[in-house]
Amino acid sequence: MTAVIRNAARLREGDMALVPDYLRGQIMESIHTKNQLYLYGDTLRALVCGTHFSSINLRNASNVRDSDLQALAPWFQKLKKLDLSACCYVTDCGLAPALSQCMELESLDMEWMTSVTGEGTFLETDEDLLHVEGGDEELCGLDLGQLMRERLDAISLCMRQLTKLSTLGCTKMSEDALLKLSKVTLALRDLNYSWCQQITDDSFAALQCTSLTRLSMSYNPKITDFAIQSVARKCPLLEFLDISGCPDICDAGLKSVAARLELLKAVNISFLERITDKGVEMLAIGCPLLASLDCEQTNIGDPSLMAIADYSKDLRSLNVGFCHNLSEGAIMICWSRCKLHTLNVNQCRGVSMQTRFWLMAKSGRSKQGAEGPIGQNKTEDGSPQLMNIQGELISPPTPADGSFLPSTAQGEETNWSGLATY
């Protein structure tokens, strides 16, 4: 096996004919781990042709071409999981014949397949696409239009049984193709439409997957509150929602989320400049199961944190980095009332460095062993003590006005062993 992996570039079709399927899978996985660029051409065909894998991982195998997928397609009939992420040279000419043979596919990752438009894979298009699979002699006398329709029907059947689909970063995927995908994917539980630059509200209005539990639709410039309202109405079982980086989303979208998606456990609304305290308050009240909330670089203020402290008692992770309208008092009230494991206040102008370091130590998010101007000294009892850049000892924050009381003020001993040393 080691010799085969070492000479992967020299493999030819037929060399693996006598190798058991399970061993082929191990060899392919090892080659992918060591250097996935070998997985193309004769090497890939030698590993796949002649066997029926249940899972094929070609993530970052950027040398894969359309001709490779066309040759492998007949062996995809029992495939349940296919990952073609970052296969940037694969176009619809290779993707369409591959998917048309996947009769049992459940998971499809197409992330950053920047040459795929969806024309010919999910939509009927120019018949010339069929010519890439064989010479004119093979297709002579055949009804190319009928072949195209049969392929599209097979792909639609494949899409209907998918439970996970990711088109993250498919920047050339057309709106019509995405709209067709939304209509035919009925069994999805995990959908990622992030960074699909052509997608609009219509694709989300056409969603038919009522069993969806995870949805990512971040960094899509054409998405508005209407898309969020459609999702909230059609996907009542959502537990994870990522709408970060969509510039036209505001409080109206969060109002729909709060009113209909009471099962939500994780929400990402970072980089949404139009979100206000009112939207976050509605989210905290309407989603009592919320365990993770990301509000990085938004314009929220203290009222948002007070609402979170009052209604999101089970919150475990909160990111308010670069939120400059927050005060230190509100931060500490939120920390003391919620069951937070992680609280990110990075670059919040209203939070002192002393409080930031204290929160880093309490949440255990720091790195250990780093050397730098801010270090740890040992106290008389051998425990580490934090020092700032001026060499002054740093102790837990204790407000003079008594506006908040961190847990250490109530008798709990602070563990400084996890504190970063920069």
Side-chain angles (χ1 to χ4, degrees):
M1 179 174 169
T2 304
V4 173
I5 296 172
R6 189 184 305 117
N7 296 283
R10 301 178 184 178
L11 285 178
R12 295 295 180 266
E13 191 169 352
D15 291 349
M16 307 289 290
L18 301 179
V19 178
D21 290 356
Y22 78 92
L23 193 54
R24 284 201 201 190
Q26 293 178 9
I27 293 173
M28 189 169 177
E29 183 179 350
S30 298
I31 294 175
H32 183 272
T33 301
K34 293 179 181 298
N35 191 347
Q36 60 269 28
L37 297 181
Y38 283 142
L39 291 175
Y40 77 101
D42 291 335
T43 300
L44 184 58
R45 299 180 194 190
L47 291 168
V48 177
C49 291
T51 188
H52 292 282
F53 287 120
S54 62
S55 175
I56 292 181
N57 181 9
L58 296 176
R59 178 177 288 266
N60 296 323
S62 56
N63 285 329
V64 174
R65 298 298 196 273
D66 290 337
S67 57
D68 296 326
L69 291 184
Q70 293 162 10
L72 302 180
W75 307 102
F76 283 0
Q77 294 181 3
K78 295 184 179 180
L79 200 62
K80 295 185 180 297
K81 182 178 180 180
L82 178 61
D83 192 341
L84 298 173
S85 300
C87 292
C88 53
Y89 293 111
V90 173
T91 68
D92 294 278
C93 297
L95 183 62
L99 293 182
S100 66
Q101 297 296 321
C102 296
M103 299 294 101
E104 302 178 7
L105 195 64
E106 297 177 357
S107 175
L108 175 62
D109 287 293
M110 303 168 49
E111 299 176 3
W112 301 105
M113 295 183 70
T114 53
S115 298
V116 171
T117 65
E119 306 288 342
T121 302
F122 309 113
L123 299 173
E124 190 168 352
T125 185
D126 198 332
E127 295 173 356
D128 289 340
L129 284 174
L130 289 170
H131 287 271
V132 299
E133 297 179 43
D136 290 337
E137 297 81 4
E138 292 185 37
L139 300 174
C140 183
L142 298 179
D143 185 348
L144 299 185
Q146 179 63 24
L147 290 178
M148 174 66 74
R149 286 188 290 275
E150 290 177 358
R151 172 185 291 174
L152 290 176
D153 290 342
I155 293 175
S156 295
L157 183 61
C158 169
M159 294 294 106
R160 286 192 182 97
Q161 58 195 14
L162 278 183
T163 58
K164 178 186 177 184
L165 172 64
S166 178
T167 60
L168 167 69
C170 293
T171 54
K172 293 185 179 179
M173 185 83 78
S174 69
E175 163 61 11
D176 291 337
L178 291 165
L179 184 61
K180 178 67 178 296
L181 270 177
S182 296
K183 291 180 179 179
V184 301
T185 47
L186 305 178
L188 282 179
R189 293 195 294 269
D190 188 342
L191 176 61
N192 192 338
Y193 272 165
S194 299
W195 291 92
C196 295
Q197 302 296 304
Q198 306 303 320
I199 199 168
T200 65
D201 293 343
D202 294 339
S203 293
F204 294 98
L207 282 176
Q208 302 296 324
C209 42
T210 56
S211 58
L212 200 64
T213 58
R214 293 179 59 88
L215 175 61
S216 297
M217 47 195 293
S218 57
Y219 298 97
N220 291 315
K222 298 181 181 180
I223 295 301
T224 68
D225 289 320
F226 180 75
I228 309 299
Q229 294 164 356
S230 300
V231 168
R233 185 173 61 255
K234 294 192 173 187
C235 306
L237 302 180
L238 269 184
E239 297 179 1
F240 173 88
L241 179 62
D242 184 357
I243 54 177
S244 58
C246 298
D248 292 329
I249 292 179
C250 58
D251 291 340
L254 291 188
K255 181 179 180 180
S256 299
V257 170
R260 295 177 179 270
L261 302 180
E262 60 182 13
L263 298 180
L264 272 179
K265 297 179 180 179
V267 179
N268 189 343
I269 57 173
S270 57
F271 304 100
L272 299 182
E273 296 183 354
R274 300 181 63 184
I275 294 294
T276 67
D277 292 322
K278 183 179 179 180
V280 176
E281 289 173 15
M282 290 187 292
L283 193 64
I285 295 172
C287 303
L289 301 180
L290 207 59
S292 175
L293 180 60
D294 192 335
C295 304
E296 183 174 354
Q297 202 163 327
T298 56
N299 294 320
I300 64 171
D302 290 350
S304 293
L305 290 187
M306 300 308 297
I308 292 171
D310 290 337
Y311 298 101
S312 300
K313 299 296 185 181
D314 294 327
L315 197 66
R316 296 294 188 272
S317 175
L318 177 61
N319 181 6
V320 290
F322 293 89
C323 294
H324 302 305
N325 298 326
L326 301 177
S327 69
E328 190 168 286
I331 291 286
M332 295 307 299
I333 289 175
C334 188
W335 171 265
S336 62
R337 291 186 184 177
C338 298
K339 301 176 182 178
L340 287 172
H341 294 169
T342 303
L343 175 56
N344 179 19
V345 293
N346 183 41
Q347 299 298 322
C348 291
R349 294 172 184 167
V351 182
S352 66
M353 288 299 296
Q354 181 185 10
T355 300
R356 292 185 201 176
F357 283 129
W358 184 83
L359 288 171
M360 289 166 63
K362 293 296 292 181
S363 61
R365 290 184 290 106
S366 307
K367 301 177 182 178
Q368 299 186 26
E371 298 286 344
I374 299 180
Q376 289 179 341
N377 284 350
K378 296 289 184 178
T379 59
E380 294 181 358
D381 62 357
S383 60
Q385 173 64 58
L386 187 72
M387 297 179 63
N388 62 17
I389 196 170
Q390 286 82 24
E392 302 168 342
L393 298 180
I394 297 179
S395 57
T398 53
D401 59 359
S403 58
F404 62 87
L405 288 176
S407 55
T408 51
Q410 303 172 7
E412 180 184 342
E413 183 179 355
T414 303
N415 179 15
W416 294 100
S417 61
L419 192 58
T421 56
Y422 292 92

Coordinates of all heavy atoms in Angstrom, one line a residue, residues 232-305:
A232 N -38.4 32.0 6.9 CA -39.0 31.8 8.2 C -40.4 31.2 8.0 O -40.8 30.4 8.9 CB -39.2 33.2 8.9
R233 N -41.1 31.5 6.9 CA -42.4 30.9 6.7 C -42.4 29.4 6.3 O -43.2 28.6 6.7 CB -43.1 31.8 5.7 CG -44.6 31.3 5.4 CD -45.3 32.3 4.5 NE -44.7 32.4 3.2 CZ -43.9 33.4 2.8 NH1 -43.7 34.4 3.6 NH2 -43.4 33.4 1.6
K234 N -41.4 29.1 5.5 CA -41.3 27.7 4.9 C -40.5 26.7 5.6 O -40.6 25.5 5.4 CB -40.8 27.8 3.4 CG -41.8 28.6 2.5 CD -41.4 28.4 1.1 CE -42.4 29.1 0.1 NZ -42.1 28.8 -1.3
C235 N -39.6 27.2 6.5 CA -38.6 26.3 7.2 C -38.8 26.4 8.7 O -37.8 27.0 9.3 CB -37.2 26.6 6.7 SG -37.0 26.5 4.9
P236 N -39.8 25.9 9.3 CA -40.0 26.1 10.7 C -39.1 25.3 11.6 O -39.1 25.6 12.8 CB -41.5 25.7 10.9 CG -41.7 24.6 9.8 CD -40.9 25.1 8.6
L237 N -38.4 24.4 11.1 CA -37.5 23.5 11.9 C -36.1 24.0 11.9 O -35.2 23.3 12.5 CB -37.5 22.1 11.3 CG -38.9 21.4 11.3 CD1 -38.8 20.0 10.8 CD2 -39.6 21.4 12.7
L238 N -35.8 25.2 11.4 CA -34.4 25.7 11.4 C -33.8 25.8 12.8 O -34.4 26.3 13.7 CB -34.4 27.1 10.7 CG -34.1 27.1 9.2 CD1 -34.0 28.6 8.7 CD2 -32.9 26.4 8.8
E239 N -32.6 25.3 12.9 CA -31.8 25.5 14.1 C -30.6 26.3 13.9 O -30.0 26.8 14.9 CB -31.4 24.1 14.6 CG -32.6 23.2 15.0 CD -32.1 21.8 15.4 OE1 -30.9 21.6 15.5 OE2 -33.0 21.0 15.7
F240 N -30.1 26.5 12.7 CA -28.9 27.3 12.4 C -29.2 28.2 11.2 O -29.7 27.7 10.2 CB -27.7 26.4 12.1 CG -26.5 27.1 11.6 CD1 -25.5 27.6 12.5 CD2 -26.3 27.3 10.3 CE1 -24.4 28.3 12.1 CE2 -25.2 28.0 9.8 CZ -24.2 28.5 10.7
L241 N -28.9 29.4 11.4 CA -29.2 30.4 10.3 C -28.0 31.4 10.2 O -27.6 32.0 11.2 CB -30.5 31.2 10.6 CG -30.8 32.3 9.6 CD1 -31.1 31.6 8.2 CD2 -32.1 33.0 10.0
D242 N -27.4 31.5 9.0 CA -26.3 32.4 8.8 C -26.7 33.4 7.7 O -26.9 33.0 6.5 CB -25.0 31.7 8.4 CG -23.8 32.6 8.2 OD1 -24.0 33.8 8.3 OD2 -22.7 32.1 7.9
I243 N -26.9 34.7 8.1 CA -27.3 35.7 7.1 C -26.3 36.9 7.1 O -26.6 38.0 6.7 CB -28.7 36.3 7.4 CG1 -28.8 36.8 8.8 CG2 -29.8 35.2 7.1 CD1 -30.2 37.4 9.2
S244 N -25.1 36.6 7.6 CA -24.1 37.6 7.7 C -23.7 38.2 6.3 O -23.7 37.5 5.3 CB -22.8 37.0 8.4 OG -22.3 35.9 7.7
G245 N -23.3 39.4 6.4 CA -22.7 40.1 5.2 C -23.7 40.4 4.1 O -23.3 40.7 2.9
C246 N -25.0 40.3 4.3 CA -26.0 40.7 3.3 C -26.5 42.1 3.6 O -27.2 42.4 4.5 CB -27.2 39.7 3.4 SG -26.8 38.0 3.0
P247 N -26.0 43.1 2.8 CA -26.1 44.5 3.2 C -27.5 45.0 3.3 O -27.8 46.1 3.9 CB -25.3 45.2 2.1 CG -25.3 44.3 0.9 CD -25.3 42.9 1.5
D248 N -28.5 44.4 2.6 CA -29.9 44.9 2.6 C -30.8 44.3 3.7 O -32.0 44.6 3.7 CB -30.5 44.7 1.2 CG -29.8 45.5 0.1 OD1 -29.3 46.6 0.5 OD2 -29.8 45.1 -1.0
I249 N -30.3 43.5 4.5 CA -31.1 42.9 5.6 C -31.1 43.8 6.8 O -30.1 44.3 7.2 CB -30.5 41.5 6.0 CG1 -30.7 40.5 4.8 CG2 -31.2 41.0 7.2 CD1 -30.2 39.1 5.1
C250 N -32.3 44.0 7.3 CA -32.5 44.9 8.5 C -33.4 44.3 9.5 O -33.6 43.1 9.5 CB -33.0 46.3 8.1 SG -34.6 46.3 7.2
D251 N -34.0 45.1 10.4 CA -34.8 44.5 11.5 C -36.0 43.8 11.1 O -36.5 42.9 11.8 CB -35.2 45.7 12.5 CG -34.0 46.2 13.2 OD1 -33.0 45.5 13.3 OD2 -34.1 47.4 13.7
A252 N -36.6 44.1 9.9 CA -37.8 43.5 9.4 C -37.5 42.0 9.2 O -38.4 41.2 9.5 CB -38.2 44.1 8.1
G253 N -36.4 41.6 8.7 CA -36.0 40.2 8.6 C -35.9 39.5 9.9 O -36.4 38.4 10.1
L254 N -35.3 40.1 10.9 CA -35.1 39.5 12.2 C -36.5 39.4 12.9 O -36.7 38.5 13.7 CB -34.2 40.3 13.0 CG -32.7 40.3 12.6 CD1 -31.9 41.0 13.7 CD2 -32.2 38.9 12.4
K255 N -37.4 40.3 12.6 CA -38.7 40.2 13.2 C -39.4 38.9 12.7 O -40.0 38.2 13.6 CB -39.6 41.4 12.8 CG -41.0 41.4 13.4 CD -41.7 42.7 13.0 CE -43.1 42.7 13.5 NZ -43.9 43.9 13.1
S256 N -39.3 38.6 11.5 CA -39.9 37.3 11.0 C -39.2 36.1 11.6 O -39.9 35.1 11.9 CB -39.8 37.3 9.4 OG -40.5 38.3 8.8
V257 N -37.9 36.2 11.7 CA -37.2 35.1 12.3 C -37.6 34.9 13.8 O -37.9 33.7 14.2 CB -35.6 35.4 12.3 CG1 -34.9 34.4 13.1 CG2 -35.1 35.3 10.9
A258 N -37.7 35.9 14.5 CA -38.2 35.8 15.9 C -39.6 35.3 16.1 O -39.9 34.6 17.0 CB -38.0 37.2 16.6
A259 N -40.4 35.7 15.1 CA -41.8 35.3 15.2 C -42.1 33.8 14.8 O -43.0 33.2 15.4 CB -42.7 36.2 14.3
R260 N -41.3 33.3 14.0 CA -41.6 31.9 13.4 C -40.6 30.8 13.8 O -40.9 29.7 13.7 CB -41.7 32.0 11.9 CG -42.9 32.9 11.5 CD -43.0 33.0 10.0 NE -44.1 33.8 9.5 CZ -45.3 33.2 9.2 NH1 -45.5 31.9 9.4 NH2 -46.3 34.0 8.8
L261 N -39.3 31.2 14.0 CA -38.3 30.2 14.1 C -37.8 30.1 15.6 O -36.7 30.4 16.0 CB -37.0 30.6 13.3 CG -37.3 30.7 11.8 CD1 -36.1 31.1 11.0 CD2 -37.9 29.4 11.2
E262 N -38.7 29.5 16.4 CA -38.5 29.4 17.8 C -37.5 28.3 18.2 O -37.0 28.2 19.3 CB -39.8 29.2 18.6 CG -40.5 27.9 18.2 CD -41.9 27.8 18.9 OE1 -42.3 28.8 19.5 OE2 -42.4 26.7 18.8
L263 N -37.1 27.4 17.2 CA -36.2 26.3 17.5 C -34.7 26.7 17.2 O -33.8 25.9 17.4 CB -36.6 25.1 16.6 CG -37.9 24.5 16.9 CD1 -38.2 23.3 16.0 CD2 -38.1 24.1 18.3
L264 N -34.5 28.0 16.8 CA -33.2 28.4 16.4 C -32.2 28.3 17.6 O -32.5 28.7 18.7 CB -33.2 29.8 15.9 CG -33.4 30.1 14.4 CD1 -33.4 31.6 14.1 CD2 -32.3 29.4 13.6
K265 N -31.0 27.7 17.4 CA -30.0 27.6 18.4 C -28.7 28.4 18.1 O -28.0 28.7 19.0 CB -29.6 26.1 18.6 CG -30.8 25.2 19.1 CD -30.3 23.8 19.2 CE -31.5 22.9 19.7 NZ -31.1 21.5 19.8
A266 N -28.5 28.7 16.8 CA -27.3 29.5 16.4 C -27.7 30.4 15.3 O -28.3 30.0 14.3 CB -26.2 28.5 15.9
V267 N -27.3 31.7 15.4 CA -27.6 32.7 14.4 C -26.4 33.6 14.2 O -25.7 34.0 15.2 CB -28.8 33.6 14.9 CG1 -29.1 34.7 13.9 CG2 -30.1 32.8 15.2
N268 N -26.1 33.9 13.0 CA -25.0 34.7 12.6 C -25.5 36.0 11.9 O -26.0 35.8 10.7 CB -24.0 34.0 11.7 CG -22.7 34.8 11.5 OD1 -22.6 36.0 11.7 ND2 -21.6 34.1 11.1
I269 N -25.5 37.1 12.5 CA -25.9 38.4 11.9 C -24.8 39.4 11.8 O -25.0 40.6 11.8 CB -27.1 39.0 12.6 CG1 -26.7 39.2 14.1 CG2 -28.3 38.1 12.5 CD1 -27.8 40.0 14.9
S270 N -23.5 38.9 11.7 CA -22.4 39.8 11.7 C -22.3 40.6 10.4 O -22.8 40.1 9.4 CB -21.1 39.0 11.9 OG -21.0 38.0 10.9
F271 N -21.7 41.7 10.5 CA -21.5 42.6 9.3 C -22.8 43.1 8.7 O -22.9 43.3 7.5 CB -20.6 41.9 8.3 CG -19.3 41.5 8.8 CD1 -19.1 40.2 9.2 CD2 -18.3 42.4 9.0 CE1 -17.9 39.7 9.7 CE2 -17.0 42.0 9.5 CZ -16.8 40.6 9.9
L272 N -23.9 43.2 9.5 CA -25.1 43.7 9.0 C -25.3 45.1 9.6 O -25.7 45.3 10.8 CB -26.3 42.8 9.4 CG -26.3 41.4 8.9 CD1 -27.6 40.6 9.3 CD2 -26.2 41.4 7.4
E273 N -24.9 46.1 8.9 CA -24.9 47.5 9.4 C -26.3 48.1 9.7 O -26.4 49.0 10.4 CB -24.1 48.4 8.5 CG -22.6 48.0 8.4 CD -21.9 48.9 7.5 OE1 -22.5 49.8 6.9 OE2 -20.6 48.8 7.4
R274 N -27.3 47.5 9.1 CA -28.7 48.0 9.2 C -29.4 47.4 10.4 O -30.6 47.8 10.7 CB -29.5 47.8 7.9 CG -28.8 48.5 6.7 CD -29.6 48.3 5.5 NE -30.9 48.9 5.6 CZ -31.9 48.8 4.6 NH1 -31.6 48.1 3.5 NH2 -33.1 49.4 4.8
I275 N -28.8 46.4 11.1 CA -29.4 45.8 12.2 C -29.3 46.8 13.4 O -28.2 47.3 13.7 CB -28.8 44.5 12.6 CG1 -29.0 43.5 11.4 CG2 -29.2 43.9 13.9 CD1 -30.5 43.1 11.3
T276 N -30.4 46.9 14.2 CA -30.4 47.8 15.4 C -30.7 47.0 16.6 O -30.9 45.8 16.6 CB -31.4 48.9 15.2 OG1 -32.7 48.3 15.3 CG2 -31.2 49.7 13.9
D277 N -30.7 47.7 17.8 CA -31.0 47.0 19.0 C -32.4 46.4 19.0 O -32.6 45.3 19.6 CB -30.9 48.0 20.2 CG -29.5 48.5 20.4 OD1 -28.6 47.6 20.3 OD2 -29.3 49.7 20.7
K278 N -33.3 47.0 18.3 CA -34.7 46.5 18.3 C -34.7 45.1 17.7 O -35.4 44.2 18.2 CB -35.6 47.4 17.5 CG -37.1 47.0 17.4 CD -37.9 48.0 16.6 CE -39.3 47.6 16.5 NZ -40.2 48.6 15.8
G279 N -34.0 44.9 16.6 CA -33.9 43.6 15.9 C -33.4 42.5 16.8 O -33.9 41.4 16.9
V280 N -32.3 42.8 17.5 CA -31.6 41.9 18.4 C -32.5 41.5 19.6 O -32.6 40.4 20.1 CB -30.3 42.4 18.9 CG1 -29.6 41.4 19.9 CG2 -29.3 42.6 17.7
E281 N -33.2 42.5 20.1 CA -34.1 42.3 21.2 C -35.2 41.3 20.8 O -35.6 40.4 21.6 CB -34.8 43.7 21.7 CG -33.8 44.6 22.4 CD -34.4 45.9 22.7 OE1 -35.6 46.1 22.5 OE2 -33.6 46.9 23.0
M282 N -35.8 41.5 19.6 CA -36.9 40.6 19.1 C -36.3 39.2 19.0 O -37.0 38.2 19.3 CB -37.4 41.1 17.8 CG -38.3 42.4 17.9 SD -39.1 42.9 16.4 CE -37.7 43.3 15.4
L283 N -35.1 39.1 18.5 CA -34.4 37.8 18.3 C -34.3 37.1 19.7 O -34.5 35.9 19.8 CB -33.1 38.0 17.6 CG -32.4 36.7 17.1 CD1 -33.2 36.1 16.0 CD2 -31.0 37.1 16.5
A284 N -33.8 37.8 20.7 CA -33.6 37.2 22.0 C -34.9 36.8 22.6 O -35.0 35.7 23.3 CB -32.9 38.3 22.9
I285 N -36.0 37.5 22.4 CA -37.2 37.2 23.0 C -37.9 36.0 22.3 O -38.4 35.1 22.9 CB -38.2 38.4 23.0 CG1 -37.6 39.5 23.9 CG2 -39.6 38.0 23.4 CD1 -38.4 40.8 23.8
G286 N -37.8 36.0 20.9 CA -38.5 35.0 20.1 C -37.8 33.7 20.0 O -38.4 32.7 19.6
C287 N -36.5 33.6 20.3 CA -35.7 32.4 20.2 C -35.1 32.0 21.5 O -33.9 32.2 21.8 CB -34.6 32.6 19.1 SG -35.1 33.2 17.5
P288 N -35.9 31.4 22.4 CA -35.4 31.1 23.7 C -34.4 30.0 23.8 O -33.7 29.9 24.8 CB -36.7 30.6 24.4 CG -37.6 30.1 23.3 CD -37.3 31.0 22.1
L289 N -34.2 29.2 22.7 CA -33.2 28.1 22.7 C -31.8 28.6 22.2 O -30.9 27.8 22.1 CB -33.7 27.0 21.9 CG -35.0 26.3 22.3 CD1 -35.4 25.2 21.4 CD2 -35.0 25.9 23.8
L290 N -31.7 29.9 22.0 CA -30.4 30.4 21.4 C -29.2 30.0 22.2 O -29.2 30.4 23.4 CB -30.6 31.9 21.2 CG -29.7 32.5 20.1 CD1 -30.1 31.9 18.7 CD2 -30.0 34.0 20.0
A291 N -28.2 29.4 21.6 CA -27.0 29.0 22.3 C -25.8 29.7 21.7 O -24.8 29.8 22.4 CB -26.8 27.5 22.2
S292 N -25.9 30.2 20.5 CA -24.8 30.9 19.8 C -25.3 32.1 19.0 O -26.2 31.9 18.2 CB -24.0 29.9 18.9 OG -23.0 30.6 18.2
L293 N -24.7 33.3 19.2 CA -25.1 34.5 18.5 C -23.8 35.2 18.1 O -23.0 35.5 18.9 CB -26.0 35.3 19.4 CG -26.5 36.7 18.8 CD1 -27.3 36.4 17.6 CD2 -27.3 37.5 19.8
D294 N -23.7 35.5 16.8 CA -22.6 36.3 16.3 C -23.1 37.6 15.8 O -23.8 37.7 14.8 CB -21.9 35.5 15.2 CG -20.6 36.1 14.8 OD1 -20.4 37.3 15.0 OD2 -19.8 35.3 14.2
C295 N -22.7 38.7 16.4 CA -23.1 40.1 16.1 C -21.9 40.9 15.7 O -21.9 42.2 15.8 CB -23.9 40.7 17.2 SG -25.3 39.8 17.8
E296 N -20.8 40.3 15.3 CA -19.6 41.1 15.0 C -19.8 42.2 14.0 O -20.5 42.1 13.0 CB -18.5 40.2 14.5 CG -17.2 40.8 14.3 CD -16.0 39.9 13.9 OE1 -16.3 38.7 13.9 OE2 -14.9 40.3 13.6
Q297 N -19.2 43.4 14.4 CA -19.2 44.6 13.5 C -20.6 45.0 13.1 O -20.9 45.2 11.9 CB -18.3 44.4 12.3 CG -17.9 45.7 11.7 CD -16.7 45.5 10.7 OE1 -15.8 44.6 10.9 NE2 -16.6 46.3 9.7
T298 N -21.5 45.1 14.1 CA -22.8 45.7 13.9 C -22.9 46.9 14.8 O -22.0 47.2 15.5 CB -23.9 44.7 14.3 OG1 -23.7 44.2 15.6 CG2 -23.9 43.4 13.4
N299 N -24.1 47.6 14.6 CA -24.2 48.9 15.4 C -25.1 48.7 16.6 O -25.7 49.7 17.1 CB -24.9 49.9 14.4 CG -24.0 50.3 13.3 OD1 -22.8 50.5 13.5 ND2 -24.6 50.4 12.1
I300 N -25.1 47.5 17.2 CA -25.9 47.3 18.4 C -25.3 48.0 19.6 O -24.1 48.2 19.6 CB -26.1 45.8 18.6 CG1 -24.7 45.1 19.0 CG2 -26.8 45.1 17.5 CD1 -24.9 43.7 19.4
G301 N -26.1 48.2 20.6 CA -25.6 48.9 21.8 C -26.0 48.1 23.1 O -26.4 46.9 23.0
D302 N -26.0 48.8 24.2 CA -26.3 48.2 25.5 C -27.7 47.5 25.5 O -27.9 46.5 26.2 CB -26.1 49.2 26.6 CG -24.7 49.5 26.8 OD1 -23.8 48.9 26.2 OD2 -24.4 50.5 27.6
P303 N -28.8 48.1 24.9 CA -30.1 47.5 25.0 C -30.1 46.1 24.5 O -30.8 45.2 25.0 CB -31.0 48.4 24.2 CG -30.3 49.8 24.3 CD -28.8 49.5 24.3
S304 N -29.3 45.8 23.5 CA -29.2 44.4 22.9 C -28.7 43.5 23.9 O -29.2 42.4 24.1 CB -28.3 44.4 21.7 OG -28.9 45.1 20.6
L305 N -27.6 43.9 24.6 CA -27.0 43.0 25.6 C -27.9 42.8 26.8 O -27.9 41.7 27.4 CB -25.6 43.6 26.1 CG -24.5 43.5 25.0 CD1 -23.2 44.0 25.7 CD2 -24.3 42.1 24.4

